[in-house]
Amino acid sequence: MATVSPAAAAAGVVAGERGQTRIADRVVAKIAAQAAREALRGQSPHASTDAHATVTVHRREDRGQFGEARVRIAVELGYPSDIGAQCRVVRRQVAERVKALASMEVPEVAVEVERLHSPLLEGTRGRVR
């Protein structure tokens, strides 16, 4: 986060005239994807840590805040496992890390499970029905 220099504070420069810090959407997406990978790493020994994020940021510059980010995370999970629990952990970790590192509220984290990996099916090809 940006800090106010003592000279700017002493000169009485209002916040709107000092400038602002903007965090690019792609940076927020990278933070979210890394947070999802961190969350998955501790879940299961055969869990995949592949995660990709897309983010929509709504800025609230009129209030002096960084805004809010709506995140969509695509993950690959290990199976068999508690998929719902893994998704909850990912949602919580992503929301906490984006808030901590980008100072953005995260009212929505949608988790999309792209693929399930099973150590029982390693070496098989095609779909299993």
Side-chain angles (χ1 to χ4, degrees):
M1 281 200 203
T3 58
V4 179
S5 70
V13 179
V14 265
E17 294 176 10
R18 281 194 303 263
Q20 59 186 335
T21 301
R22 292 191 61 146
I23 300 172
D25 294 7
R26 71 179 182 277
V27 173
V28 179
K30 286 181 180 184
I31 292 169
Q34 179 61 34
R37 285 190 289 272
E38 290 169 1
L40 292 173
R41 218 172 274 135
Q43 291 296 301
S44 165
H46 56 272
S48 171
T49 57
D50 192 23
H52 304 284
T54 55
V55 175
T56 304
V57 175
H58 300 281
R59 312 245 184 243
R60 290 193 224 159
E61 295 161 359
D62 60 322
R63 297 164 125 184
Q65 298 176 355
F66 287 96
E68 64 182 27
R70 296 186 185 278
V71 180
R72 181 174 206 79
I73 291 278
V75 296
E76 296 183 11
L77 301 177
Y79 186 81
S81 64
D82 186 347
I83 294 170
Q86 289 185 60
C87 291
R88 277 190 297 279
V89 170
V90 167
R91 274 193 294 273
R92 183 175 354 119
Q93 178 76 1
V94 167
E96 288 174 1
R97 297 295 284 167
V98 170
K99 184 172 184 170
L101 296 175
S103 298
M104 291 183 181
E105 294 297 321
V106 185
E108 178 184 332
V109 178
V111 179
E112 176 184 341
V113 179
E114 285 189 331
R115 182 175 295 173
L116 297 173
H117 294 280
S118 175
L120 304 173
L121 299 175
E122 285 184 13
T124 61
R125 297 179 60 81
R127 291 184 173 219
V128 177
R129 293 177 194 214

